[in-house]
Amino acid sequence: MVVPEPRVWRAARPHVARIARAAKPRVVRVTRAVATRSMKLTTLQLTAGAAAFGLALSAGAVAVAGPWDSSGQRTAEREWAASRHREGGADHEGGSGTAQGAPKPAPSALSVLRGLAGSVPAPTGQALAGVLDPLLSAPSLGSGRTAAVVDVATGKSLYDLGADDALTPASTTKIATAAAVLSALGPDHRIETRTVLDPGSKEVVLVGGGDPTLTSREDAKGYASLRTLADRTAAALKKRGLDEVTLTYDASLYTGPALHPIGPNTNLAPVSALMADEARLDDSSSGPADRATDPAADAARTFADLLADRGVRTKAPASAKSPKKADRLATVSSPPLSTLVERMLTNSDNDIAEALARHTALAAGEPASFEGAGTAIHGELGELGLPLTGARFADGSGLNRDDRLTAALLTALLAKAASPAHPELRPIVTGLPVAGFTGTLRHRYADHLSGTGVVRAKTGTLTGVNTLAGTVVDTDGRLLAFAFLATDTTDPTSAQKALDGTASALAA
């Protein structure tokens, strides 16, 4: 049987070609793909792996499609996925209020995953130990290593290597940040940026709401646009007969130090409630880049130029608090949190992570600072009933070496996100990079073909720290959650390959 193909994501084609070079134009036969790459992937494994990947499969065919554009950023299919159940999170069916053209949360195939996860046997602990113990003893993984494997369907622990020992998690911290903010605010929550007018004056205030994806670029790609805000603000001012104003900006929503403890760094801008394009000084949208030292002032200057282009003159913008009884002029809103979470996880975006951590703090009534965010994340995860012994959140991104997580907590988070009982957490699963295809795993797994396409995992890398946590479908089609943490590593490339190989061993 062949499943009709959804609209093709062109960016995935080169990767799919590596899996099935002899594929027909719109359909890849599973048997042909397996023969082409000599991969011992079962039909159940491919079906379940593709369901987690957001693709529609049948037992005999794989549609050539992938929910990723040329930048590696997830974009959503308009058609429904294999499941038509409205589960929230990744299953919005157009009901989330996402603006036309905006990136939508990716669909999941929940019914497929649920059926496969419970209809085949889980691997035994003894079998897993026989496979994983030698791999996790690799010298490249340093002196400290922990691991856990959990059966997603039951939540049962299948493998435990110091799983309750808290280690530096690096960017796998973002899984915890994602769970906390989705639980606190919901996947449909949006972040607003607005302009207001001080009554009886000509003072316009640009008020930052903490949207890290606000953009000033001509093509906003569905994100909140500073240009659109300028259009609406200029129109509102002209209705009031104003073509010359004083522009100020308010970034007071966040408190505490703006600079991360690591100091100035190309991986993270100073954390501000007002910034455009993550304060990047180039045309990039992900990865390291030089940043403006004062993102709020930089965004306000850009906004002033945009107003001038629309016939509204301003003086040089200065920082000021928005008046309590100000008249609202215009607003723009971010895509839903589900989309921001997916982008954060796929690209390991530190700026989004720190912003979402602060929004978690605001939702919990904590100060919107590094410290307040850490307290709020810990509290929110506690409300979810997760094992927090030894856990510490010094930031939301994982750049801080004082962060501590356990393999048990990471696997519990992933199992919770895949559970039908917590559809609000689904973007965690759909946002994970796919081995050999997307995000931070796009160029990995060349040496571990059995994991390509069926391992979905968040990476973590600091000097001397390498981590990997995600989900994998084994050869019987059983969905497993895993977490591997290694410290005191000396060669990051070798350590990454060792972890990739270990995850691939679960698939094989």
Side-chain angles (χ1 to χ4, degrees), residues 42-141:
T42 66
T43 299
L44 282 174
Q45 190 176 20
L46 283 167
T47 304
F53 190 20
L55 306 182
L57 272 84
S58 72
V62 182
V64 180
W68 310 93
D69 64 19
S70 59
S71 69
Q73 170 59 44
R74 175 178 290 279
T75 56
E77 259 301 299
R78 292 180 181 177
E79 292 85 2
W80 290 338
S83 170
R84 292 192 177 186
H85 299 297
R86 186 180 180 88
E87 296 290 346
D91 298 285
H92 279 289
E93 297 186 8
S96 65
T98 303
Q100 184 176 7
K104 300 177 178 65
S108 66
L110 182 60
S111 62
V112 176
L113 285 176
R114 184 184 298 152
L116 289 173
S119 61
V120 294
T124 66
Q126 183 179 4
L128 285 175
V131 172
L132 300 182
D133 283 349
L135 295 172
L136 291 170
S137 298
S140 61
L141 294 181

Side-chain angles (χ1 to χ4, degrees), residues 232-312:
R232 295 171 180 174
T233 301
L237 289 171
K238 288 176 182 178
K239 283 184 178 180
R240 291 169 168 79
L242 299 174
D243 60 7
E244 184 172 357
V245 298
T246 298
L247 178 64
T248 59
Y249 60 91
D250 183 354
S252 63
L253 184 66
Y254 295 168
T255 59
L259 197 62
H260 192 280
I262 60 173
N265 193 284
T266 57
N267 288 300
L268 177 67
V271 184
S272 173
L274 175 63
M275 62 168 60
D277 301 301
E278 298 182 340
R280 294 172 180 271
L281 299 179
D282 59 16
D283 293 330
S284 66
S285 59
S286 64
D290 291 332
R291 313 300 183 97
T293 56
D294 188 342
D298 191 63
R301 285 190 291 268
T302 299
F303 188 67
D305 292 339
L306 292 171
L307 286 178
D309 292 341
R310 289 152 178 79
V312 177

